[in-house]
């Protein structure tokens, strides 16, 4: 059985994993991004980290890398990486191939990689076409069309988090973690009822999510609003691509049961029965391992 190395690069951590051709995560290592950046640039640190991993797993010949941001159409270089700015505008593939000439590398946007991983290794039966939405620090989007990643005209299509919502902000600004926190702080200011959020000290998105899961009224109202914005994003994506299966992943997806009602209301308000009669919306199955397994699944792409 062939093994691959999946590298999930994030603003907080660089996660590495040994993944089998069956999609099983055999081993995982996590490196704090800020620690890696203390002595070297992110690119220099990435070369070192991959070297350490290849030394541990000498049988690995293919490495897949997921990166949060826009990439060149040929998938050799990064363009804009808001969460890792010093890795932007870097010839990542050229540097890695020079350092490890015997290794085959693949690089892709992290949401695209996660969608591909779900396509190959989901515990549920997957269609040939689906839209994938990740809800986390940001809001990412991807599309598998005819069993392949849809990349758009210049390689960076389906940036669903940057669709403009009805309030004039992007979807990500509304329902990414910063958006959820901002909504909580604004709502709390004029709130006259009781809420556990008032007693939580310095708020963050995790605390708002926890409060909503404990059925705090104010927190649940916030996620009612989150559902509306998610519904708007789904309406736009379905209208543009005419794809009726939506898979939702990412850390914030654990609150999906809190957003469903308002999400579906928005969907049924704006989509005709042609779309809604066979619309399927469900959670991704790979959960927290989606980044690593998705990155490794890039190795299945023909060279």
């Amino acid at each position: 059985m062939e093994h691959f190395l999946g590298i999930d690069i994030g603003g907080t951590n660089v996660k590495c994993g040994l993944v089998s051709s069956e999609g099983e995560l055999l081993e995982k290592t996590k490196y704090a991004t800020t620690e890696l950046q203390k002595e070297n640039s992110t690119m220099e640190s990435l070369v070192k980290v991959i070297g350490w991993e290849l030394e541990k797993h000498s049988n690995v010949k293919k490495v897949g890398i997921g990166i949060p941001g826009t990439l060149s159409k040929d998938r050799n270089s990064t363009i804009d990486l808001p969460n890792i700015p010093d890795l932007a505008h870097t010839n990542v593939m050229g540097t890695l191939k020079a350092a490890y000439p015997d290794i085959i590398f693949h690089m892709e946007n992290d949401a695209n990689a996660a969608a591909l991983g779900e396509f190959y290794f989901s515990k549920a039966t997957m269609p040939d076409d689906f839209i994938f939405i990740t809800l986390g620090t940001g809001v990412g989007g991807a599309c598998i069309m005819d069993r392949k990643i849809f990349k758009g005209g210049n390689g960076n299509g389906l940036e669903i988090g940057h669709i403009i919502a009805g309030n004039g902000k992007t979807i990500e600004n509304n329902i990414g973690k910063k958006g959820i926190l901002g909504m909580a702080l604004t709502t709390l200011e004029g709130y006259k009822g009781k809420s556990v959020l008032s007693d939580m000290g310095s708020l963050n998105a995790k605390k708002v999510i926890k409060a909503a899961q404990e059925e705090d009224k104010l927190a649940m109202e916030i996620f009612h609003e989150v559902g509306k914005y998610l519904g708007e994003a789904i309406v736009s994506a379905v209208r543009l691509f005419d794809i009726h299966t939506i898979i939702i992943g990412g850390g914030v997806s654990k609150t999906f049961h809190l957003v469903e009602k308002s999400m579906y209301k928005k969907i049924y308000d704006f989509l005709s029965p042609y779309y809604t009669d066979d619309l399927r919306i469900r959670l991704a199955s790979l959960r927290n391992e989606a980044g690593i397994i998705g990155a490794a699944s890039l190795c299945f792409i023909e060279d």
Side-chain angles (χ1 to χ4, degrees), residues 233-252:
I234 290 171
V235 167
S236 297
V238 169
R239 281 285 189 180
L240 285 169
F241 290 93
D242 194 16
I243 290 175
H244 302 185
T245 299
I246 313 293
I247 309 295
I248 297 176
V252 181

Side-chain angles (χ1 to χ4, degrees), residues 108-183:
E108 187 53 78
N109 168 271
D110 58 348
N112 287 346
L116 194 67
E118 195 71 23
F119 175 72
Y120 282 121
F121 300 122
S122 174
K123 293 173 179 143
T125 302
M126 297 298 294
D128 291 348
D129 312 279
F130 63 90
I131 292 165
F132 187 84
I133 300 173
T134 61
L135 304 175
T137 302
V139 177
C143 176
I144 300 296
M145 187 179 292
D146 293 330
R147 304 174 63 87
K148 295 180 180 179
I149 297 171
F150 170 81
K151 297 179 182 177
N154 286 305
N156 293 290
L158 211 75
E159 285 286 345
I160 200 165
H162 300 283
I163 292 173
I164 305 300
N167 66 349
K169 295 181 180 180
T170 65
I171 295 295
E172 180 166 297
N173 286 339
N174 281 312
I175 63 173
K177 284 186 178 177
K178 285 184 180 178
I180 290 171
L181 176 59
M183 206 186 304

